[in-house]
Amino acid sequence: MPNLKSVLVTGANAGLGKESARQLALLESTERVYLGCRNMEKAEAAKAELEEATGRRVFEILQLDVMDMDSVRAAVRAIPDSLDGLVMNAGGLGGPTPNATTREGSTHVFAVNVLGHALLVDELIAVGKLEKVAVFSGSEACRGVEKFRMKRPPFETSSTDELASVIDGSWLEGAYTAMTAYAASKYVAALWIGSMARRHPSIRFVTMSPGGTSGTAGTDGMQGVLRVLMKYLLRPLMVAFGLMHDVETGALRYVNALTDERYESGVFYGSAADATIGNVVDQATILTDLANEEFQDNAYEAIHRFLRPRSITPRSSPSP
Ligand SMILES: NC(=O)c1ccc[n+]([C@@H]2O[C@H](COP(=O)([O-])OP(=O)(O)OC[C@H]3O[C@@H](n4cnc5c(N)ncnc54)[C@H](OP(=O)(O)O)[C@@H]3O)[C@@H](O)[C@H]2O)c1
């Protein structure tokens, strides 16, 4: 088991992120857990709660909004030493405007789940601040979930252009639901992690789905009544029917992926094809695309189209 002294968790003020920060703090080797959060008030409250729950003073708040690339760059500069581990957990359905675009031209849903994390990893590696392992929060939605009657997002070729169309929102000519866009974003992400694993063999890159997890918000893109129904009726029912597990079990999947080297670099682990919880399996055994190195490199390329500095169109000179 590798000794991880310092780990950054993104989206650490709630749900799976906060719970994984708690579990990490209880490991003997842990000296620092960075709570990567966008909202300082929520971050302070989470820090106090985590200190109380663990009796440890290892938590440090790192201001980080993964939808804002300047914030990502500033966060990397603010980390004093190198990190042993990173959990790319922040994410969800993209808030109230999932299809609106950021300055980089990415949809909100893609930016919050993937683009900010891609920049974060690139910047950390560029300055030698990521040493051992990076875990991305995947979702079985990207290969379809039979039990929820959720279809696999339809990709024709997984070419760079097709994957880039997920990022800018033109995919399927915009005719998709927020959940399909989320699933497609997690598909691109799992492929990108495969590519990163081959590009950076000294760092273990793992995609791990927390599995169907209750007790988290995870409903940010849902409208009023559906949101309340989901939280107070559907999720408890799903737990009762064995379709969801608790947040401790979901977060433990991340912690296992971080600390157990038997989870192989480049692989996406998640629930078995006919389950939403339970033991994890290599998702490429369910959807072979995920192990396709050409698709993986296409995802890397597609993402980096949005991270390269854009050429600035010269303004026309003012008329005399
Ligand atoms: N729950 C599940 O069943 C499930 C299943 C598969 C995968 N996942 C994945 O697991 C991850 C965590 O999900 P969850 O259920 O724990 O969700 P959650 O309870 O909604 O927590 C999401 C966390 O991400 C943070 N966040 C959102 N946008 C952010 C941004 N722009 N910058 C920084 N932090 C941001 C939130 O902070 P704020 O409080 O500031 O919004 C919050 O701390 C997500 O990536 C999700 O896709 C969840």
Side-chain angles (χ1 to χ4, degrees):
M1 191 187 270
N3 277 343
L4 302 179
K5 290 189 181 154
S6 61
V7 179
L8 162 61
V9 182
T10 69
N13 59 276
L16 288 151
K18 187 169 74 175
E19 172 57 21
S20 54
R22 186 191 70 82
Q23 294 183 18
L24 285 166
L26 294 176
L27 300 179
E28 215 176 306
S29 62
T30 305
E31 292 173 6
R32 180 76 58 230
V33 179
Y34 290 98
L35 308 174
C37 305
R38 60 179 167 177
N39 178 314
M40 288 305 93
E41 219 172 293
K42 289 185 188 178
E44 291 291 354
K47 182 182 177 202
E49 198 188 310
L50 286 163
E51 285 181 347
E52 169 81 24
T54 62
R56 298 208 64 196
R57 300 281 177 273
V58 293
F59 303 100
E60 187 105 21
I61 293 170
L62 184 69
Q63 184 150 28
L64 171 61
D65 181 341
V66 291
M67 274 177 56
D68 175 347
M69 302 305 132
D70 290 339
S71 164
V72 172
R73 291 190 183 92
V76 171
R77 285 195 298 273
I79 299 169
D81 303 308
S82 63
L83 302 168
D84 287 334
L86 169 67
V87 182
M88 294 174 269
N89 161 78
L93 296 177
T97 52
N99 274 330
T101 46
T102 65
R103 270 189 299 171
E104 294 70 34
S106 161
T107 61
H108 285 185
V109 62
F110 194 87
V112 70
N113 285 286
V114 196
L115 198 68
H117 286 129
L119 181 65
L120 178 63
V121 171
D122 280 357
E123 296 277 311
L124 285 170
I125 291 175
V127 293
K129 286 186 178 176
L130 181 57
E131 301 278 347
K132 294 182 178 165
V133 53
V135 173
F136 180 83
S137 176
S139 169
E140 290 85 353
C142 85
R143 45 80 169 165
V145 183
E146 241 175 72
K147 289 229 167 193
F148 292 154
R149 296 179 184 225
M150 197 185 283
K151 290 211 171 98
R152 171 196 163 200
F155 285 97
E156 285 179 10
T157 57
S158 297
S159 64
T160 305
D161 283 345
E162 191 181 23
L163 301 179
S165 76
V166 170
I167 306 176
D168 69 19
S170 62
W171 183 61
L172 300 181
E173 295 174 347
Y176 46 76
T177 63
M179 185 49 94
T180 313
Y182 166 80
S185 300
K186 294 284 191 184
Y187 172 82
V188 178
L191 293 174
W192 158 69
I193 288 287
S195 184
M196 290 300 282
R198 283 182 286 106
R199 279 163 202 269
H200 301 283
S202 65
I203 300 169
R204 203 160 48 84
F205 279 91
V206 177
T207 301
M208 175 61 84
S209 168
T213 305
S214 167
T216 71
T219 49
D220 61 342
M222 294 180 186
Q223 301 304 316
V225 179
L226 182 58
R227 196 180 174 123
V228 173
L229 270 178
M230 187 59 153
K231 192 166 175 191
Y232 296 104
L233 187 65
L234 291 178
R235 282 182 181 239
L237 272 177
M238 286 195 227
V239 173
F241 285 107
L243 294 169
M244 282 193 163
H245 49 208
D246 56 26
V247 68
E248 289 82 1
T249 311
L252 185 60
R253 283 191 179 187
Y254 293 161
V255 175
N256 287 341
L258 273 176
T259 58
D260 188 339
E261 286 173 334
R262 285 173 300 176
Y263 290 98
E264 287 175 39
S265 197
V267 174
F268 172 14
Y269 296 92
S271 306
D274 59 352
T276 48
I277 57 173
N279 291 337
V280 295
V281 301
D282 177 350
Q283 298 295 287
T285 60
I286 301 168
L287 177 62
T288 53
D289 282 24
L290 295 165
N292 183 315
E293 294 190 357
E294 189 188 334
F295 293 178
Q296 293 175 349
D297 291 341
N298 290 346
Y300 178 92
E301 186 51 38
I303 287 172
H304 286 82
R305 279 188 189 174
F306 294 80
L307 290 179
R308 282 187 205 111
R310 301 198 150 202
S311 56
I312 297 166
T313 318
R315 286 201 193 141
S316 52
S317 8
S319 37

